Amino acid sequence: MNSEPLLVSYPASAPLRGELRPPGDKSISHRAVIFGALARGVSEIHHLLEGEDVLRTVAAFRAMGVDARRDDAGVWRIAGVGRDGLSEPRDVLDMGNSGTGIRLLTGLLAGQPFFSVLTGDDSLRRRPMGRVVGPLTRMGACILGRDGGRCAPLAVQGKELIGIPYVSPVASAQVKTALLLAGLYAAGETAITEPALSRDHTERMLTAFGGEVGQDGLTVSVRGGIELRGVTMHVPGDISSAAFPMVAALLVPGSEVTLTGVGINPTRTGLLDLLREMGGRIDIGNERLEGGEPVADLTVFHSPLKGIRVPPDVVPRAIDEFPVFALAAACADGETLVTGAEELRVKESDRIAAIAKGLAVQGADIEELPDGMRIRGRPEGLPGGGVADAFQDHRVAMTLMVAGLAARAPVTVTGRANVETSFPGFAARMAGLGARIESHG
Ligand code: S3P
């Protein structure tokens, strides 16, 4: 395990200052590649996230006959093959670390007239796939996998599908999108009802590509047979990546950092609400629309934070941000309580356990709960100095690196940090703000 390089993050010796444009949104980038591939005509995608997860999705479509190229200016052109234009991949599709990639493609492939196999890395092969395989099977899909179809590798024999109404027990955009993608190839209507609204990028993007999506409260629906048209699209900056410099600026005394072009879709801004409620000063300016999504520049100032009780209804709107939120809470004055967040246990790692262990090693007072955590803040800051395992989880690794910037002694991260999954060049980009994060070994 320790043959992997160690990452070391050093306490900031000066305030963090400057501007950072976060990389393209991961969720939106996956969807831009998928809908670009299925549309008729060429789609031109600007600011696509070139992280490993999205590049796996690009590779999967190339393996199904789609021409996707990046020009020297970083613009991607995807030559869409039309709704019936994909061809059978000759090899296993390896989705790497990406839950979004594997679940969305399982939905899409269920209705294709060919056979395919999807797999991923150790972390992905441990994650639950039954949540998509179950409802897809009810639509007529033929999917086999390990553990009775609950884990990858998944073998998909494409079938004629029938639209169903499905009431999902989890607020999951991956489940919703997998079923909507299958629904594009199913007879009749496919309708998904969620317990709370999960991110709605698929609905927005399907509309931008000329598709029709029905929306009625927490139910979204599509009809089979829709043809999509290629578009030009600008991917907003990922608020889930912006979260790391955001919390770093809040915690390092004297800091003022502007994050430009950040997506502020209301289904994604839970962290902003929580940090502001804790007393964080985050100014929102220059609001605009890009690719059907709201975008803004966020200026973040160092602020003393106080502990809060996280309302469970905010959880789906901040689900990917809890690792770094836990760090903010660990440095706040008073207690913070997170509940209703059991989904964190089935992310790239068990994020409740991984973050509780990782931050405790740096001196945080943090208690695991079955569905969240109780954090007693240390407003004087964390001692740091510990060596913590990232458990192959990019967001755990980046949280620990931000912890190092705000701690009194360096923080070391082991265990396949996988940072390139979502934030290529994280250390160098943070260095532009004055941070020091190094890779050793
Ligand atoms: C995503 C949905 C969320 C999120 C993940 C990306 C998506 O997962 O945690 O990082 O792009 O649809 P769930 O659908 O499992 O909640």
Side-chain angles (χ1 to χ4, degrees), residues 53 56-57 60 93-98 101-102 105 118-120 124:
D53 273 18
R56 295 281 182 167
T57 293
L93 302 173
D94 183 350
M95 305 315 293
N97 192 239
S98 180
I102 196 166
L105 260 66
L118 292 151
T119 191
L124 191 62

Side-chain angles (χ1 to χ4, degrees), residues 106-440:
T106 303
L108 172 66
L109 294 170
Q112 303 299 317
F114 54 69
F115 173 75
S116 52
V117 180
L118 292 151
T119 191
D121 67 9
D122 299 343
S123 150
L124 191 62
R125 281 182 277 109
R126 278 195 295 267
R127 296 183 64 187
M129 296 298 140
R131 54 181 59 197
V132 291
V133 172
L136 289 169
T137 304
R138 282 179 43 198
M139 293 174 75
C142 173
I143 305 171
L144 296 174
R146 285 192 309 121
D147 192 20
R150 282 187 284 270
C151 285
L154 298 174
V156 186
Q157 175 57 61
K159 292 277 182 205
E160 307 249 326
L161 303 178
I162 302 165
I164 56 165
Y166 181 66
V167 179
S168 174
V170 278
S172 161
Q174 293 177 358
V175 171
K176 175 169 66 178
T177 307
L179 299 188
L180 290 173
L181 284 165
L184 294 178
Y185 291 86
E189 187 184 75
T190 301
I192 302 105
T193 305
E194 307 188 85
L197 184 64
S198 64
R199 59 193 67 192
D200 64 358
H201 305 303
T202 303
E203 296 89 308
R204 288 173 188 255
M205 203 178 288
L206 255 173
T207 310
F209 275 87
E212 260 179 58
V213 185
Q215 226 145 1
D216 180 9
L218 293 172
T219 302
V220 290
S221 56
V222 288
R223 298 196 74 82
I226 301 172
E227 271 290 358
L228 305 175
R229 292 184 307 272
V231 299
T232 294
M233 167 161 303
H234 292 258
V235 177
D238 198 331
I239 193 165
S240 300
S241 297
F244 300 102
M246 188 184 296
V247 170
L250 287 172
L251 296 183
V252 175
S255 299
E256 178 183 335
V257 167
T258 297
L259 304 162
T260 59
V262 181
I264 53 160
N265 179 316
T267 60
R268 297 284 300 280
T269 48
L271 180 72
L272 286 185
D273 298 348
L274 295 176
L275 292 175
R276 284 169 140 187
E277 197 188 326
M278 293 170 86
R281 180 170 163 207
I282 303 169
D283 294 353
I284 302 185
N286 195 14
E287 286 186 51
R288 56 216 189 258
L289 269 183
E290 271 178 22
E293 294 273 350
V295 166
D297 299 339
L298 309 178
T299 302
V300 189
F301 299 84
H302 165 65
S303 312
L305 302 177
K306 57 180 189 338
I308 56 167
R309 205 168 253 271
V310 173
D313 57 297
V314 179
V315 169
R317 300 174 49 239
I319 192 67
D320 289 342
E321 286 66 73
F322 279 102
V324 78
F325 171 76
L327 168 64
C331 302
D333 189 6
E335 184 177 290
T336 293
L337 183 65
V338 181
T339 54
E342 56 281 348
E343 272 295 297
L344 292 175
R345 295 217 179 259
V346 291
K347 295 293 178 187
E348 285 83 329
S349 66
D350 173 344
R351 282 187 174 157
I352 296 177
I355 214 66
K357 286 198 183 83
L359 291 181
V361 168
Q362 314 308 330
D365 182 351
I366 178 164
E367 181 192 334
E368 266 190 58
L369 304 174
D371 64 341
M373 42 202 149
R374 185 189 307 276
I375 303 159
R376 288 172 208 90
R378 296 201 193 286
E380 71 283 8
L382 301 183
V387 179
D389 193 334
F391 294 97
Q392 299 185 51
D393 187 324
H394 52 129
R395 299 202 205 282
V396 172
M398 287 187 280
T399 296
L400 290 165
M401 286 188 253
V402 173
L405 303 178
R408 291 192 291 281
V411 164
T412 302
V413 179
T414 63
R416 289 208 252 154
N418 273 344
V419 171
E420 299 297 307
T421 293
S422 64
F423 202 146
F426 175 72
R429 304 292 307 283
M430 292 297 290
L433 302 176
R436 186 173 155 217
I437 298 168
E438 290 174 3
S439 178
H440 295 277

